[in-house]
Amino acid sequence: MSHQELEVLGRAQECCPGLLTAPLDEDQAAELAKVFKALGDPVRLRLLSMIASRAGGEVCVCDLTPAFDVSQPTISHHLKLLKQAGLIDSERRGTWVYYRLLPQMTDRLAGILARPAGQPLPQIGQESAGAPS
């Protein structure tokens, strides 16, 4: 794992106990927004899914590009953004680049979004009960 990826992961692990347990401060929100922005594009979300679900844990860019109706440079740009967000890592082998998921970040996101065990979900409409319609 590169220094940059370790730094991103470290900041994410320090930052966020969970959205439902404590309000995020400005820095936490800014850091998380970068990761969610990377996930906010359908092509990037599909790329991440293809990488994460690949048997053997990694996939060659040569196997990713044909699945999309966009150019190879566009795919490379999307992969770069996923890598900068700390979601994937890559390794060059000869001509090709192989990508793999960084489960630490996806596990962290899952922890941030999870509600504390044993707490019921609010009922729809409860928050606005008594509010004028």
Side-chain angles (χ1 to χ4, degrees):
M1 192 176 296
S2 75
H3 175 72
Q4 179 186 9
E5 291 158 347
L6 287 171
E7 191 174 294
V8 168
L9 180 61
R11 284 194 309 265
Q13 288 176 338
E14 295 169 357
C15 83
C16 310
L19 291 175
L20 302 178
T21 58
L24 297 174
D25 67 27
E26 224 174 293
D27 291 337
Q28 293 168 334
E31 193 63 41
L32 275 176
K34 292 176 189 174
V35 178
F36 285 118
K37 185 174 182 180
L39 293 172
D41 181 272
V43 171
R44 289 192 291 270
L45 199 51
R46 283 188 58 214
L47 283 166
L48 185 68
S49 175
M50 291 173 71
I51 294 165
S53 64
R54 184 63 164 225
E58 64 181 15
V59 62
C60 178
V61 70
C62 63
D63 294 325
L64 295 171
T65 305
F68 297 90
D69 290 330
V70 297
S71 68
Q72 184 277 326
T74 300
I75 294 296
S76 292
H77 173 73
H78 286 302
L79 290 166
K80 176 183 170 187
L81 294 175
L82 289 170
K83 189 172 178 179
Q84 288 174 340
L87 292 160
I88 62 172
D89 195 11
S90 65
E91 179 182 334
R92 178 170 291 282
R93 296 184 199 147
T95 306
W96 299 109
V97 178
Y98 289 78
Y99 290 89
R100 67 181 175 280
L101 178 73
L102 292 175
Q104 304 93 323
M105 182 59 80
T106 53
D107 291 349
R108 183 70 189 140
L109 290 175
I112 289 166
L113 295 173
R115 65 185 177 86
Q119 286 191 359
L121 291 172
Q123 295 297 314
I124 305 251
Q126 265 190 345
E127 330 57 70
S128 60
S133 332

